[in-house]
Amino acid sequence: MAGKFDPAPHDKHADNPREATSADREMHAKLDAGLIGSFPASDPVSAAQPAKSTHDRHAKDDSLWTKVKAVFR
């Protein structure tokens, strides 16, 4: 008898299961640490950072020249 029949060949583009599990555990550990650090609070912990506002983007660049250029964009 020939070798075992494998109906699903190896997918070279699939994620490595060990790396995916490790990344998942790391994300859960970060979320748990954030939850413990913020307890008691009314807002839930978020895994992603919110996008920077216009004020935040321009706060680091306080030169007059960049503010003048921004008016004409």
Side-chain angles (χ1 to χ4, degrees):
M1 180 170 179
K4 263 176 107 173
F5 174 68
D6 186 10
H10 177 70
D11 184 6
K12 66 180 180 179
H13 300 291
D15 290 336
N16 183 351
R18 290 182 185 188
E19 290 177 7
T21 303
S22 174
D24 192 39
R25 285 184 182 151
E26 183 179 330
M27 179 62 67
H28 283 294
K30 287 180 181 179
L31 287 172
D32 286 341
L35 182 63
I36 290 170
S38 67
F39 188 80
S42 59
D43 295 336
V45 177
S46 175
Q49 292 291 328
K52 290 187 175 183
S53 67
T54 305
H55 176 72
D56 291 338
R57 282 189 295 245
H58 296 297
K60 65 181 177 193
D61 196 12
D62 291 329
S63 70
L64 178 62
W65 178 246
T66 54
K67 289 181 182 179
V68 171
K69 286 191 329 187
V71 170
F72 293 104
R73 285 189 188 159

